[in-house]
Amino acid sequence: MISEKELKNLISQVLQGMSEDKPEIKKVEEKIEKIIINSDLVKDVKDITEIDLREVIEVKNPVNREEYLKYKRKTPARIGISRAGTRYTTNTMLRFRADHASAQDAVFTDVSSEFLEKNNLFTIQTKCQSKDEYITRPDLGRRLSEDGIKTLKEKCKMNPTVEVFVADGLSSTAIEANIEDILPALLNGLKSYGIDCGTPFFLKYGRVAAADEVSEVLGATVTCVLIGERPGLATAESMSAYITYNAYVGMPEAKRTVVSNIHEKGTPAPEAGAHVAHIIKKVLEAKASGQDLKL
């Protein structure tokens, strides 16, 4: 644990270093890092998110604990939490903050290039130039960049029956948590039905409607985008599959069929992959998707 005296000395050195040369500031930073690493406080910190909220009841002396747990296990929602006066208890607040931090990380972190390379996904980009622009300009996230269109024409199979691709959406965490399981299951499922598939790829800063331009560029009969969904406090790993028949830029949202809540505590990725493949088969048979498709 860092003592008050040590902190005061460090602050004094930092202030002094700010008025002198940069090497002095570097020395102070290294000293702070060394103290923090060796601190008992750091050694005692545990990852609070490792505990499954569905197995925790913070209400003191519940009348029927087992019945309470039965309901909690059916949902990741925050039920069975407690309070101290008008405030949350410390543990409840810490878990809330931890889950909120995970949600922020899911939105603002990019899918790693190593992960994409491992899964044989080349990258193209929408017209967004940064994560901030992606969040503030949804319209740009729906259209492909000129370089992206050119790359698709060079690397992808043209006029496939089904084009499956991956987009980061609002959760890079969801992509890295699910793609390794769902993509092979989906592609193998389509192959087992004898359905012709295009070339999978990764779309950076992509919105759902970007699939419409992908369809036009590649001439795909059906497009399926696997995309990270907006994270919440229950999970930051949820993704969805949006499926469209004969998509075109500007098409109504009601024309899309969606399979959502794909994550470990929802529909597991391997199961979702097989299910999406079956739905695509139905879409091709009916030549319709969204509200026009009767499942």
Side-chain angles (χ1 to χ4, degrees):
M1 184 73 73
I2 304 174
S3 68
E4 183 178 350
K5 183 178 179 180
E6 286 176 314
L7 281 175
K8 287 181 179 179
N9 288 337
L10 284 172
I11 292 170
S12 177
Q13 291 179 54
V14 169
L15 292 175
Q16 183 180 359
M18 289 176 66
S19 62
E20 298 175 1
D21 55 357
K22 291 185 178 179
E24 184 65 26
I25 296 178
K26 182 66 176 177
K27 290 179 183 178
V28 174
E29 290 176 343
E30 291 174 352
K31 187 173 182 181
I32 292 173
E33 184 177 357
K34 184 177 180 180
I35 290 176
I36 290 175
I37 290 174
N38 295 325
S39 170
D40 292 336
L41 178 63
V42 174
K43 293 177 182 178
D44 292 339
V45 171
K46 295 181 176 60
D47 184 359
I48 195 171
T49 62
E50 290 181 354
I51 302 171
D52 189 346
L53 273 181
R54 294 176 298 180
E55 300 296 329
V56 177
I57 294 178
E58 294 186 343
V59 174
K60 294 181 179 179
N61 304 317
V63 175
N64 191 330
R65 184 179 183 81
E66 289 306 313
E67 192 70 13
Y68 220 143
L69 282 172
K70 184 177 77 173
Y71 285 105
K72 281 187 67 75
R73 288 166 182 159
K74 293 179 182 294
T75 175
R78 279 170 156 73
I79 59 176
I81 61 175
S82 190
R83 61 188 175 87
T86 59
R87 299 178 176 84
Y88 289 130
T89 59
T90 300
N91 188 67
T92 295
M93 176 56 73
L94 287 175
R95 183 57 187 262
F96 180 91
R97 295 293 297 273
D99 289 339
H100 185 252
S102 295
Q104 287 183 309
D105 287 345
V107 173
F108 290 105
T109 303
D110 290 327
V111 178
S112 72
S113 57
E114 292 81 8
F115 177 85
L116 297 173
E117 183 178 350
K118 179 182 176 182
N119 288 278
N120 299 314
L121 297 169
F122 67 88
T123 301
I124 68 167
Q125 194 165 311
T126 61
K127 291 187 175 182
C128 295
Q129 298 300 312
S130 67
K131 186 71 75 170
D132 285 342
E133 188 170 53
Y134 170 75
I135 293 171
T136 57
R137 291 291 304 274
D139 56 318
L140 298 181
R142 300 185 185 108
R143 301 305 300 266
L144 307 180
S145 66
E146 292 183 6
D147 287 342
I149 293 174
K150 181 180 178 182
T151 302
L152 283 187
K153 292 179 177 179
E154 292 174 349
K155 294 188 174 184
C156 288
K157 178 179 180 179
M158 299 300 291
N159 303 312
T161 302
V162 178
E163 175 60 41
V164 178
F165 70 97
V166 180
D168 46 7
L170 285 166
S171 179
S172 60
T173 305
I175 299 304
E176 296 194 6
N178 297 293
I179 287 301
E180 287 183 312
D181 291 324
I182 190 173
L183 189 56
L186 172 53
L187 296 178
N188 289 334
L190 293 173
K191 183 178 180 180
S192 70
Y193 291 130
I195 297 173
D196 171 55
C197 292
T199 310
F201 62 90
F202 175 72
L203 178 62
K204 188 174 184 179
Y205 304 143
R207 298 276 177 176
V208 172
D212 303 341
E213 190 166 14
V214 169
S215 178
E216 288 189 354
V217 171
L218 297 180
T221 304
V222 172
T223 51
C224 174
V225 53
L226 304 172
I227 190 168
E229 291 286 15
R230 180 183 292 105
L233 295 176
T235 180
E237 298 182 354
S238 183
M239 66 177 296
S240 294
Y242 287 84
I243 306 159
T244 49
Y245 181 80
N246 280 349
Y248 56 89
V249 175
M251 70 177 294
E253 294 299 314
K255 295 288 187 180
R256 307 186 200 284
T257 295
V258 60
V259 177
S260 60
N261 288 302
I262 301 171
H263 57 91
E264 184 181 14
K265 296 175 183 177
T267 302
E271 180 183 334
H275 181 54
V276 171
H278 179 71
I279 290 179
I280 290 175
K281 178 175 178 289
K282 293 292 185 181
V283 167
L284 288 167
E285 290 172 349
K287 297 182 179 181
S289 59
Q291 66 179 9
D292 299 326
L293 177 65
K294 309 301 179 186
L295 293 174

